[in-house]
Amino acid sequence: LPRKGPFSEELESRYIRYQTLPMGEYKEGKKNVFDIVKFIMYTPMVFIKTYGFLKKEGCCLLYVNGSRNFIWSSLLGYILSIPVVWHVHHIFLDKKTKWLIEWAGQMKCIKKILFVSNSVKEQFSGLGAKSEVIYNVIDISIFNPVKCKKQIKDEFGIPQERKLISLIAWILPTKRQDILVKAI
């Protein structure tokens, strides 16, 4: 994990061992020369620590869900002869990153690539046989929409007769939320 947080707390509550491993912060979207240099600088440390952890714990499967990790995991899976599963969440704007991911995804140790949507999957047409779409799921039955709307309107002083429009997402240029704002 890149840092401690709610996920590490959940792992700890289940007595599941994990390792935190700083991987650097990177620019969203197209990568610049600083991102590339940072990736190259972090790679030996990430590789050595992850290799040691995987060997020590006797891991027999590697699951990863971030573009930097796709590259590192493909090399580790190859060297350690363990299967790797990728979980891809993003539309990549950077051609270099897409090419590198597509190249690494061809390796035999990459057994399955899970995509959160068809549009995310379509950017990697060369990985078809390993690819599958599994949509993110939210159990909306646990929410009471009438109660939630009232609470939100009360909290922000919005008259109850007003309609609400919401978007739950990271605010990122690549998600084009500006189009929603203009449409509203």
Side-chain angles (χ1 to χ4, degrees), residues 29-31 67-68 70-71 86 88 90-106 113 115 119-127:
K30 291 189 177 194
K31 304 302 178 227
S67 55
R68 294 167 297 210
F70 298 154
I71 307 310
W86 288 355
V88 185
H90 302 293
I91 298 286
F92 295 93
L93 302 177
D94 185 56
K95 289 180 184 175
K96 296 177 293 294
T97 302
K98 283 196 325 195
W99 178 86
L100 197 54
I101 291 170
E102 183 119 20
W103 172 81
Q106 304 284 336
I113 305 172
F115 295 92
S119 39
V120 172
K121 178 184 172 189
E122 287 168 2
Q123 62 188 333
F124 298 105
S125 58
L127 303 175

Side-chain angles (χ1 to χ4, degrees), residues 17-70:
R17 289 188 296 275
Y18 67 91
Q19 178 178 359
T20 56
L21 190 60
M23 297 178 223
E25 298 297 322
Y26 298 84
K27 182 178 172 244
E28 280 293 325
K30 291 189 177 194
K31 304 302 178 227
N32 59 33
V33 72
F34 298 111
D35 290 317
I36 294 166
V37 169
K38 193 182 304 180
F39 178 79
I40 292 168
M41 288 175 53
Y42 271 93
T43 292
M45 183 266 305
V46 168
F47 192 85
I48 290 166
K49 285 190 172 188
T50 305
Y51 177 87
F53 181 80
L54 295 171
K55 286 290 280 186
K56 179 180 142 204
E57 297 296 328
C59 295
C60 58
L61 175 72
L62 186 54
Y63 164 85
V64 296
N65 65 355
S67 55
R68 294 167 297 210
N69 302 330
F70 298 154

Side-chain angles (χ1 to χ4, degrees), residues 2-180:
R3 68 188 70 78
K4 287 191 172 255
F7 186 58
S8 64
E9 291 168 8
E10 182 65 27
L11 292 174
E12 288 169 8
S13 76
R14 296 173 186 230
Y15 304 101
I16 297 172
R17 289 188 296 275
Y18 67 91
Q19 178 178 359
T20 56
L21 190 60
M23 297 178 223
E25 298 297 322
Y26 298 84
K27 182 178 172 244
E28 280 293 325
K30 291 189 177 194
K31 304 302 178 227
N32 59 33
V33 72
F34 298 111
D35 290 317
I36 294 166
V37 169
K38 193 182 304 180
F39 178 79
I40 292 168
M41 288 175 53
Y42 271 93
T43 292
M45 183 266 305
V46 168
F47 192 85
I48 290 166
K49 285 190 172 188
T50 305
Y51 177 87
F53 181 80
L54 295 171
K55 286 290 280 186
K56 179 180 142 204
E57 297 296 328
C59 295
C60 58
L61 175 72
L62 186 54
Y63 164 85
V64 296
N65 65 355
S67 55
R68 294 167 297 210
N69 302 330
F70 298 154
I71 307 310
W72 296 324
S73 67
S74 60
L75 298 172
L76 288 162
Y78 175 77
I79 290 169
L80 294 169
S81 297
I82 58 174
V84 180
V85 176
W86 288 355
H87 195 176
V88 185
H89 300 261
H90 302 293
I91 298 286
F92 295 93
L93 302 177
D94 185 56
K95 289 180 184 175
K96 296 177 293 294
T97 302
K98 283 196 325 195
W99 178 86
L100 197 54
I101 291 170
E102 183 119 20
W103 172 81
Q106 304 284 336
M107 296 177 77
K108 288 184 180 179
C109 63
I110 310 302
K111 299 299 183 187
K112 187 59 99 174
I113 305 172
L114 307 172
F115 295 92
V116 297
S117 70
N118 284 314
S119 39
V120 172
K121 178 184 172 189
E122 287 168 2
Q123 62 188 333
F124 298 105
S125 58
L127 303 175
K130 299 178 179 186
S131 301
E132 186 172 336
V133 173
I134 299 180
Y135 297 100
N136 288 336
V137 178
I138 298 172
D139 182 2
I140 61 171
S141 69
I142 63 174
F143 299 103
N144 178 333
V146 174
K147 185 178 176 184
C148 287
K149 284 185 215 175
K150 181 175 179 356
Q151 286 175 336
I152 290 169
K153 288 178 180 180
D154 287 347
E155 181 178 339
F156 291 99
I158 300 169
Q160 291 299 319
E161 65 276 1
R162 284 251 175 99
K163 294 195 182 284
L164 292 178
I165 298 173
S166 64
L167 169 69
I168 300 171
W170 282 4
I171 305 297
L172 298 170
T174 56
K175 293 188 178 267
R176 299 302 318 260
Q177 286 110 336
D178 60 312
I179 293 171
L180 173 65

